[in-house]
Amino acid sequence: NAGVTQTPKFRVLKTGQSMTLLCAQDMNHEYMYWYRQDPGMGLRLIHYSVGEGTTAKGEVPDGYNVSRLKKQNFLLGLESAAPSQTSVYFCASSPLGGAGGIDTQYFGPGTRLTVL
Amino acid sequence: DAKTTQPNSMESNEEEPVHLPCNHSTISGTDYIHWYRQLPSQGPEYVIHGLTSNVNNRMASLAIAEDRKSSTLILHRATLRDAAVYYCIRFNSNSGYALNFGKGTSLLVTP
């Protein structure tokens, strides 16, 4: 049981390049999330999904796209990377989606992205 | 306002108990208190959560004040591996899906 895995672990991009971050979970969770973490700031939600085939915008969605074609995978895409997208990206999954406030989110190890 | 207030940092000696405080004076009746921690260079990890009663699990204990305006995460015997940033989060079914991590408390454990 690997939990939540993310690939790649590190990546350096040049401004304008594109890339896709992959998140996979083996816990059969319905809900999946993408956060970013910047120095001195907490985690901020980029996009989330409430089930296979669904996606929705979070707090900071601009410049990112997501897809959830399979229940276990949640992809985060950067179409044209900018230096402001330099950050650590965390994927998470949860079984209940916040229902009643008792949900627990399980996080991956993160992807450290640098955009030059 | 879903904010909580925590000290920026705390320090503890190894094998001693640690009490991490959190203030949530504007908490609503449906808000659960969740604690997560983030070890260096890792993703956040769930620790414990509660509503009104004190809670215990294998990682920690959570003591919630009677008026629910504050809570304390208790690590009974700190180890070097417990050095992390600890986040206290208010969460209910109206919070949406995002956990509001804030800045947390950075715990330093010294041998």
Side-chain angles (χ1 to χ4, degrees):
Chain A
N1 189 336
V4 178
T5 58
Q6 294 181 232
T7 53
K9 288 185 170 54
F10 303 93
R11 186 72 185 268
V12 178
L13 290 178
K14 295 181 179 178
T15 297
Q17 288 185 319
S18 63
M19 77 163 295
T20 300
L21 283 68
L22 171 64
C23 175
Q25 53 97 2
D26 61 2
M27 296 173 283
N28 202 35
H29 288 168
E30 287 292 337
Y31 301 85
M32 296 187 74
Y33 317 85
W34 276 107
Y35 290 86
R36 61 177 288 175
Q37 185 174 34
D38 301 305
M41 302 183 71
L43 279 73
R44 294 181 291 170
L45 185 66
I46 305 171
H47 285 280
Y48 63 95
S49 168
V50 302
E52 181 178 317
T54 75
T55 63
K57 294 180 180 180
E59 180 186 356
V60 289
D62 293 342
Y64 305 95
N65 57 73
V66 287
S67 63
R68 183 114 181 257
L69 299 179
K70 293 183 178 181
K71 185 176 183 178
Q72 63 268 34
N73 296 337
F74 195 28
L75 279 63
L76 178 71
L78 285 73
E79 290 185 347
S80 180
S84 61
Q85 294 178 304
T86 294
S87 188
V88 181
Y89 292 85
F90 290 102
C91 175
S93 71
S94 71
L96 303 175
I102 61 174
D103 196 30
T104 297
Q105 293 188 12
Y106 298 82
F107 286 80
T111 294
R112 187 173 298 273
L113 175 66
T114 300
V115 183
L116 303 176
Chain B
D1 185 354
K3 288 185 178 177
T4 59
T5 303
Q6 301 177 249
N8 290 331
S9 62
M10 292 185 64
E11 189 169 339
S12 172
N13 293 321
E14 196 177 12
E15 298 189 3
E16 290 186 354
V18 181
H19 291 234
L20 296 162
C22 180
N23 181 284
H24 29 81
S25 58
T26 60
I27 195 168
S28 74
T30 56
D31 284 344
Y32 280 77
I33 299 301
H34 288 245
W35 285 81
Y36 282 73
R37 72 179 185 180
Q38 187 172 19
L39 302 172
S41 299
Q42 295 190 27
E45 173 187 33
Y46 167 79
V47 178
I48 200 167
H49 76 273
L51 182 62
T52 56
S53 303
N54 295 344
V55 184
N56 300 293
N57 65 22
R58 64 175 181 81
M59 292 182 69
S61 296
L62 176 60
I64 301 174
E66 194 168 338
D67 63 6
R68 302 213 321 126
K69 293 183 177 182
S70 65
S71 61
T72 302
L73 179 70
I74 303 166
L75 307 179
H76 295 286
R77 288 186 66 199
T79 68
L80 297 178
R81 196 194 172 278
D82 291 321
V85 178
Y86 287 79
Y87 299 96
C88 169
I89 301 168
R90 290 165 50 177
F91 195 53
N92 63 40
S93 57
N94 296 319
S95 299
Y97 298 96
L99 293 172
N100 186 351
F101 279 84
K103 295 186 177 182
T105 296
S106 179
L107 175 65
L108 175 67
V109 180
T110 54

